Amino acid sequence: MILAVGPAFGRALTKTIGELEHEEVLAAILTGVAEEGLTARILRVSHSSDCAEIGHVGAQLSGSGISVGLQSRGTTVIHKRGLARLSNLELFPQSPSLTLETYRAIGRNAARYAKGERPTPVPVQVDNWARLRLIVKTALLHRRETEEVRDLPPFELAFDWEPDV
């Protein structure tokens, strides 16, 4: 399984739009994966800032065919090899409302897909005003992520972490 992150993740940007530290988000997703008995490699996708593309690339390179795609602002997707780029297993677009427990549940679901098991619904809060309240910040974060796009192949990242399971 692969956890694919965007080009600015942990470099030019270090927090999600919900003010969660990237390291904590990585740890939460990886802990969720570990709770299901699996591990995930972390890849940086440098050639796109699009969440669907980040997840799609990860799925293509994953031994299990499953990946979690994670934009720097926190938008997340669970993708599967063989699906079209804009078709995914699960999408979590309400990034301002995502918590560390939500990211942990996303990791558990991704691992369940990788094992061929049935995932469980990930509870998320819906904030109907978030888009209006955060549209400028969202645009600025996306612009910053896009400024980091480079024509480079995906590459593996090291993350010093121990599962909390």
Side-chain angles (χ1 to χ4, degrees):
M1 207 187 104
I2 288 183
L3 171 52
V5 299
F9 193 92
R11 295 188 328 184
L13 297 171
T14 59
K15 291 183 181 180
T16 68
I17 195 168
E19 296 298 318
L20 298 175
E21 295 286 339
H22 283 172
E23 287 187 5
E24 293 176 354
V25 172
L26 283 180
I29 293 171
L30 294 173
T31 297
V33 171
E35 288 172 342
E36 291 296 320
L38 298 181
T39 59
R41 293 184 302 137
I42 304 169
L43 294 183
R44 180 177 313 281
V45 175
S46 299
H47 71 272
S48 178
S49 60
D50 178 69
C51 189
E53 177 67 7
I54 293 165
H56 186 258
V57 168
Q60 303 312 309
L61 298 173
S62 172
S64 67
I66 301 296
S67 77
V68 174
L70 180 59
Q71 274 182 323
S72 296
R73 72 172 177 244
T75 303
T76 308
V77 64
I78 300 175
H79 220 297
K80 180 179 179 180
R81 183 184 318 124
L83 296 179
R85 186 173 60 86
L86 294 177
S87 295
N88 53 64
L89 297 172
E90 297 187 44
L91 173 64
F92 303 92
Q94 287 268 338
S95 53
S97 301
L98 300 182
T99 65
L100 293 176
E101 184 49 44
T102 306
Y103 285 112
R104 193 169 178 160
I106 291 168
R108 283 193 300 268
N109 268 8
R112 288 176 184 154
Y113 283 116
K115 296 189 303 183
E117 296 177 2
R118 183 178 295 225
T120 58
V122 174
V124 292
Q125 291 181 336
V126 176
D127 180 354
N128 293 323
W129 296 103
R131 184 171 185 186
L132 292 173
R133 203 174 60 251
L134 298 168
I135 194 157
V136 172
K137 187 173 184 179
T138 299
L140 292 172
L141 289 173
H142 185 69
R143 178 179 176 201
R144 186 65 188 107
E145 178 107 72
T146 302
E147 288 172 349
E148 295 298 311
V149 169
R150 303 287 183 271
D151 188 21
L152 298 170
F155 58 92
E156 194 160 349
L157 300 176
F159 183 58
D160 188 18
W161 157 88
E162 288 295 324
D164 183 25
V165 292

